[in-house]
Amino acid sequence: SIAEKENMATIAVRKKEVTRDLDHCDIPYYVSEFVEREVGNDYDSLRKLDNLIDKLSENKKQLEEQVLTVSSEVPKRIQNALKNAEDSKKSLGRLLEEETLLSDSINSHLLKAQPWMEDLDVLISQVEEIERHLSYLKWISQIEELSDSIQQYLMTNNVPEAASTLAFMAELDIKLQESSCSHLLAFVRSTVKFWHKILKDKLSSDFEEVLTQLHWPFVGPPQSQAFGLAAPASAPDVYNNLETLFCQLLKLQTSDELLTKPKQLPEKYSLPLSPPIILPIQIMLNPLQKRFKYHFTGNKQTNVLNKPEWYLTQVLMWIGNHAKFLDDKIQPILDKAGSSVNAGLEFSRALVMLILEKLAADIPCLLYDDTLFCHLVDEVLLFERELYSVHGYLSSFPSCMHILSEESCFQRWLTVEKKFALQKMDSMLSSEAAWISQYKDITDVDEMKVPDCAETFMTLLLVITDRYKNLPTASRKLQFLGLQKELVDDFRIRLTQVMKEETRASLGFRYCAILNAVNYIATVLADWADNVFFLQLQQAELEVSAESNTVSKLQLGQLASMESSVFDEMINLLERLKHDMLTRQVDHVFREVKDAAKLYKKERWLSLPSQAEQAVMSLSSTACPMLLTLRDRLLQLEQQLCHSLFKVFWQMLAEKVDIYIYQEIIMANHFNEGGAAQLQFDMSRNLFPLFSHYCKRPENYFKHIKEACIILNLNIGSALLLKDVLQSASENETTLKPNQPSATAALNELGVYKLAQRDVEILLNLRASWPNTGK
């Protein structure tokens, strides 16, 4: 046993000595691990050695076979890879040789083919030139063929086909516009021009003859336009000819637009783009244009600067006189021809262009004569209104407002508008009836009690809006909006000046009229702010402000979200003035009330008889002056102020009276039972009813007084109980005992909500009669 222990110790020492070398493949370590795992300290397991040796021998044999296999296969793979690389190299060499041969062959071929290529380039250029010449000749031939066709159609009097052929030729002219063949273009254009003139002259002559048979133009009213010169039997033939010639003239429209440049006004008027007037309507307009130029140009007596209404009215009459004929006879022809043109609007558009030319010529002559210029603007606006409302003229067409929007004319218009508006303001404020309402005797109408000057001023602003609302651009409208804001501010300043003169008589008729005027203007401006027209201007102002960075992001956000309006600044100033004026009136009346309440303050509240000692309760004699003053002023201002203003006035006054009586009378005195009852009678049966005409529960506007009377008139038991609750609540608050009764709940149960706990405690101490409780 001793020997075995020594052997085991030796093995243990060796185990400790065998450590793993991490940097190399440590075979002793692995052998040691293997022996330890398979044999360990169990010497009986040595019997397994035979099997273990056989197993290890088998593993060794397998490993040797794998090594032999790998060592034999790797060289074969390397040899195959080297062989493939050699084959690839040889193949690449052969390809390079072939490429060199092919490149030499190509270069040699190019050298030989160079002379041929030069000769071929010459031939190709010649062929291309011949093709261009041939194409050129084909175009000429096609135009000549079309020209011959038109000639043959005209010889056989087949005008419709001639017109159609000319229309096709005009389309070819349009297609050739991008060509650089100037002579060809000139040839085509001259050919189109030649046949267009012939056809236009012929068709125009025939068309004018038919129009003459129809009594065109109609210079009388519609009811006198009976078709009389042509016999009734021939009327269908005349209308058939009208339709035929009208359609044939329509076919000349393309060529006419190519050859005729319409007269255009200078770019400074910024007229919208519009297509030329269709040819048959142009011919129909010729006699009217001649009449217009005859009467309204040159030295004719009808051409005077101070009578623009003459030519404006004449054009409106022409439009009205011909409307029925155009709708009944001409529009069906256009519809049948597949045209989208509206005959009546086309006719009106052409006549309006005469007006625009006339205005462009006349305005520079009267630009600095305020009377003539203002008269012209008035007449033009009346003309525009009838043109749009009666005759359905479109806002997308050129109009007189484009002429008035030209820079020099527009600035003059703004100046004159402001000048006459200020003159009107001067006259309305200096009028004897300036502060009197036109509807003072009509109660239903005179709800706002608006003085005449304020109503006239807002009418003036409304008229200005009507005058500029059809301007073609938002920028021009915004300039007029700026003028309106200036006028509102000017009128506010004038009202303020007049108000300051009336400050000493702040309850007087004129002062109240000024207050009503301020309130009316602010109300109307607030209503206008919701109008679609001004909302559109607000959007335009938002876009302009965003581009110019003239306002803050907050203001931009308010404009964009419609939280504010274009009149907000003016409305705020007016509201401030209104509040200041109302405050001044309230202060004035309140001073009178305080003066009248001096005796009431000195009432002997401690020595008044109890309610049981009096047969009937009556108003304190010392309270009469105060209540009479209140009554008289309320009646006076109810008659002079509009309802909304008077409502604000009496509520402000009630608040001041409530606090005054509470602080100066109630809190400044002590009350016996009789005094408390008298105070409650004076307030609930006399003061509060003064305001019952204006609301259902006036006592709610005198909460301090009402609740103080409740506390002062509590019976002794309730008062003692309340006093204990309040005292306990104060103590609990300091000792943090939350389960005790709440002072607020106790006060609310009595109907006291406004007064604080401390105020109620003071009021309880103002009671003079307390029983002796031994405390």
Side-chain angles (χ1 to χ4, degrees):
S1 62
I2 295 171
E4 288 177 0
K5 289 181 181 179
E6 290 178 353
N7 289 334
M8 289 177 66
T10 304
I11 292 170
V13 170
R14 287 179 180 176
K15 273 187 70 179
K16 291 180 182 178
E17 291 176 352
V18 178
T19 56
R20 185 179 180 183
D21 187 355
L22 296 176
D23 296 331
H24 301 89
C25 183
D26 197 350
I27 293 176
Y29 173 80
Y30 288 112
V31 171
S32 174
E33 285 289 315
F34 178 78
V35 171
E36 180 67 22
R37 185 173 63 251
E38 295 295 334
V39 179
N41 298 328
D42 186 7
Y43 296 103
D44 292 337
S45 62
L46 293 175
R47 297 170 187 169
K48 301 177 184 178
L49 285 178
D50 292 338
N51 293 332
L52 189 59
I53 290 170
D54 293 340
K55 184 178 178 181
L56 290 174
S57 299
E58 184 66 26
N59 287 341
K60 178 182 177 186
K61 184 178 179 182
Q62 290 179 358
L63 290 172
E64 288 175 348
E65 289 176 357
Q66 288 179 5
V67 170
L68 288 174
T69 303
V70 171
S71 62
S72 62
E73 286 182 356
V74 168
K76 290 180 181 178
R77 291 180 182 175
I78 294 173
Q79 287 177 358
N80 288 336
L82 290 173
K83 186 175 185 247
N84 289 336
E86 289 292 335
D87 292 343
S88 298
K89 183 177 179 182
K90 290 178 181 178
S91 177
L92 181 59
R94 286 195 299 271
L95 288 173
L96 289 173
E97 290 175 1
E98 291 176 4
E99 187 271 336
T100 303
L101 292 173
L102 185 59
S103 177
D104 293 341
S105 175
I106 290 171
N107 290 332
S108 174
H109 178 74
L110 289 175
L111 288 173
K112 291 179 182 178
Q114 185 63 31
W116 301 346
M117 291 293 294
E118 292 175 356
D119 295 340
L120 190 59
D121 283 342
V122 173
L123 290 174
I124 291 173
S125 298
Q126 291 174 351
V127 170
E128 289 176 347
E129 185 176 0
I130 292 170
E131 285 180 346
R132 286 197 299 272
H133 291 169
L134 182 61
S135 177
Y136 197 93
L137 291 172
K138 283 181 179 179
W139 274 103
I140 294 175
S141 174
Q142 186 177 10
I143 299 301
E144 287 180 340
E145 286 176 7
L146 293 173
S147 181
D148 292 341
S149 298
I150 294 173
Q151 186 176 10
Q152 290 175 9
Y153 288 137
L154 289 178
M155 290 175 64
T156 58
N157 205 29
N158 191 350
V159 178
E161 287 298 327
S164 299
T165 307
L166 178 60
F168 181 68
M169 188 186 294
E171 291 174 1
L172 293 180
D173 188 330
I174 295 172
K175 288 181 181 179
L176 283 170
Q177 291 304 308
E178 296 181 359
S179 173
S180 58
C181 301
S182 57
H183 295 293
L184 178 61
L185 291 174
F187 170 69
V188 176
R189 182 60 57 86
S190 62
T191 306
V192 171
K193 185 176 182 180
F194 174 79
W195 289 117
H196 177 78
K197 185 177 186 308
I198 293 174
L199 283 171
K200 183 178 178 181
D201 290 346
K202 176 176 176 53
L203 292 174
S204 298
S205 176
D206 295 344
F207 191 57
E208 288 171 353
E209 185 177 343
V210 172
L211 291 174
T212 302
Q213 294 175 9
L214 293 171
H215 299 175
W216 184 272
F218 308 137
V219 293
Q223 58 268 22
S224 66
Q225 296 170 12
F227 179 44
L229 287 181
S234 65
D237 293 336
V238 175
Y239 285 123
N240 287 335
N241 290 338
L242 175 73
E243 180 177 350
T244 301
L245 292 168
F246 195 97
C247 290
Q248 291 171 4
L249 284 167
L250 272 180
K251 293 178 180 178
L252 301 184
Q253 184 66 30
T254 304
S255 55
D256 192 67
E257 290 179 13
L258 279 176
L259 301 170
T260 308
K261 288 187 177 180
K263 184 186 293 185
Q264 293 183 342
L265 289 171
E267 292 184 3
K268 65 180 181 178
Y269 296 112
S270 302
L271 296 181
L273 294 176
S274 55
I277 305 298
I278 58 173
L279 185 56
I281 297 291
Q282 288 183 34
I283 297 170
M284 296 173 74
L285 282 162
N286 281 336
L288 294 176
Q289 290 173 337
K290 289 178 181 178
R291 285 170 181 255
F292 188 91
K293 290 179 180 177
Y294 177 82
H295 288 292
F296 304 116
T297 58
N299 297 322
K300 301 296 184 297
Q301 293 181 348
T302 48
N303 181 33
V304 286
L305 290 175
N306 61 345
K307 294 294 181 182
E309 61 269 28
W310 286 355
Y311 61 83
L312 294 170
T313 305
Q314 184 63 73
V315 166
L316 288 173
M317 287 176 59
W318 285 343
I319 293 174
N321 292 345
H322 297 88
K324 182 173 175 55
F325 178 81
L326 291 169
D327 289 341
D328 293 349
K329 302 300 180 184
I330 303 301
Q331 191 59 49
I333 300 173
L334 287 167
D335 295 341
K336 188 175 180 181
S339 174
S340 60
V341 173
N342 182 292
L345 289 177
E346 194 78 351
F347 186 80
S348 301
R349 184 162 67 93
L351 288 177
V352 168
M353 288 306 298
L354 292 176
I355 298 287
L356 303 190
E357 293 171 9
K358 175 68 174 169
L359 288 174
D362 283 0
I363 285 178
C365 302
L366 48 80
L367 199 58
Y368 298 101
D369 188 319
D370 290 350
T371 304
L372 291 180
F373 182 77
C374 196
H375 177 62
L376 173 70
V377 172
D378 290 340
E379 293 298 331
V380 166
L381 293 173
L382 289 173
F383 169 79
E384 288 265 308
R385 186 176 303 168
E386 184 170 349
L387 186 65
Y388 283 101
S389 61
V390 177
H391 302 293
Y393 198 72
L394 300 181
S395 58
S396 58
F397 288 169
S399 71
C400 301
M401 300 305 282
H402 288 92
I403 305 298
L404 295 182
S405 294
E406 187 270 327
E407 184 63 28
S408 59
C409 178
F410 183 77
Q411 293 303 327
R412 188 62 187 161
W413 183 11
L414 271 179
T415 303
V416 171
E417 201 77 47
K418 183 176 181 179
K419 175 184 175 182
F420 281 99
L422 291 175
Q423 289 179 359
K424 182 71 174 175
M425 286 163 60
D426 289 337
S427 63
M428 72 175 72
L429 286 171
S430 59
S431 168
E432 293 181 0
W435 307 108
I436 300 174
S437 171
Q438 297 179 9
Y439 314 105
K440 62 179 180 178
D441 299 325
I442 311 173
T443 307
D444 295 340
V445 179
D446 196 34
E447 191 173 316
M448 295 285 287
K449 293 183 170 59
V450 187
D452 183 63
C453 64
E455 187 166 8
T456 307
F457 175 71
M458 294 312 292
T459 303
L460 172 67
L461 289 185
L462 186 62
V463 169
I464 291 175
T465 303
D466 288 336
R467 288 159 74 84
Y468 79 81
K469 69 180 180 181
N470 289 323
L471 282 168
T473 61
S475 61
R476 295 301 192 200
K477 293 176 185 177
L478 287 174
Q479 287 180 269
F480 256 104
L481 178 64
L483 170 62
Q484 287 180 305
K485 290 180 179 180
E486 284 184 36
L487 294 175
V488 172
D489 200 45
D490 188 273
F491 195 71
R492 178 187 63 82
I493 292 171
R494 293 174 186 234
L495 289 177
T496 304
Q497 291 171 345
V498 179
M499 179 270 292
K500 288 180 178 177
E501 296 173 2
E502 301 293 326
T503 302
R504 292 183 178 179
S506 59
L507 304 183
F509 167 75
R510 179 173 288 193
Y511 191 93
C512 291
I514 297 168
L515 184 50
N516 286 329
V518 172
N519 179 66
Y520 174 70
I521 295 171
T523 303
V524 174
L525 289 180
D527 290 341
W528 285 2
D530 295 328
N531 185 281
V532 174
F533 174 72
F534 289 107
L535 289 175
Q536 291 171 343
L537 283 188
Q538 181 174 343
Q539 180 63 29
E541 189 174 50
L542 171 65
E543 293 170 2
V544 172
S545 301
E547 291 175 2
S548 60
N549 295 322
T550 55
V551 298
S552 66
K553 291 183 179 180
L554 174 61
Q555 291 171 312
L556 281 176
Q558 290 174 338
L559 282 171
S561 62
M562 299 300 173
E563 291 179 10
S564 62
S565 71
V566 291
F567 295 113
D568 263 11
E569 186 178 351
M570 298 296 102
I571 294 173
N572 291 338
L573 291 172
L574 290 166
E575 289 291 339
R576 189 183 306 166
L577 176 59
K578 180 177 78 173
H579 181 266
D580 291 345
M581 294 181 71
L582 271 174
T583 303
R584 190 174 285 112
Q585 285 187 322
V586 171
D587 290 344
H588 183 98
V589 174
F590 183 61
R591 282 195 300 272
E592 291 184 348
V593 170
K594 287 198 298 182
D595 289 341
K598 287 179 179 178
L599 292 176
Y600 194 59
K601 285 177 63 176
K602 298 176 181 178
E603 185 69 63
R604 301 178 62 188
W605 301 105
L606 270 173
S607 59
L608 291 178
S610 66
Q611 190 172 359
E613 298 173 5
Q614 301 183 59
V616 178
M617 291 286 290
S618 60
L619 174 66
S620 299
S621 59
T622 52
C624 289
M626 176 183 71
L627 296 177
L628 284 173
T629 301
L630 271 174
R631 184 202 65 180
D632 293 344
R633 291 312 188 192
L634 287 171
L635 289 174
Q636 176 188 349
L637 290 170
E638 184 182 15
Q639 293 174 356
Q640 293 182 350
L641 294 178
C642 72
H643 176 71
S644 60
L645 285 175
F646 179 69
K647 183 179 179 181
V648 177
F649 167 81
W650 74 255
Q651 289 180 357
M652 291 172 65
L653 180 61
E655 182 182 0
K656 293 180 79 71
V657 170
D658 178 42
I659 294 174
Y660 172 74
I661 292 178
Y662 174 71
Q663 292 180 346
E664 301 295 328
I665 296 177
I666 297 176
M667 300 294 279
N669 289 284
H670 286 75
F671 297 84
N672 65 358
E673 182 182 348
Q678 185 65 49
L679 175 70
Q680 185 171 30
F681 181 83
D682 292 344
M683 297 296 105
S684 61
R685 300 292 298 276
N686 294 279
L687 175 63
F688 299 167
L690 282 179
F691 294 84
S692 62
H693 299 291
Y694 318 123
C695 63
K696 291 182 179 180
R697 300 180 64 85
E699 63 273 13
N700 288 337
Y701 294 91
F702 297 90
K703 290 183 178 179
H704 290 89
I705 296 175
K706 183 183 76 170
E707 295 180 2
C709 288
I710 292 173
I711 300 299
L712 293 175
N713 285 276
L714 284 175
N715 59 49
I716 294 297
S718 299
L720 286 170
L721 181 59
L722 177 62
K723 197 170 186 180
D724 289 341
V725 169
L726 296 180
Q727 187 174 356
S728 299
S730 299
E731 293 173 357
N732 293 336
E733 186 177 345
T734 57
T735 58
L736 300 177
K737 294 181 180 179
N739 295 327
Q740 296 299 321
S742 166
T744 303
L747 291 173
N748 291 349
E749 189 176 347
L750 295 172
V752 177
Y753 299 92
K754 182 78 172 177
L755 297 180
Q757 177 181 339
R758 178 60 183 158
D759 294 332
V760 174
E761 291 174 350
I762 294 172
L763 285 169
L764 288 172
N765 290 329
L766 295 179
R767 294 170 60 111
S769 54
W770 290 99
N772 187 4
T773 59
K775 292 185 180 180

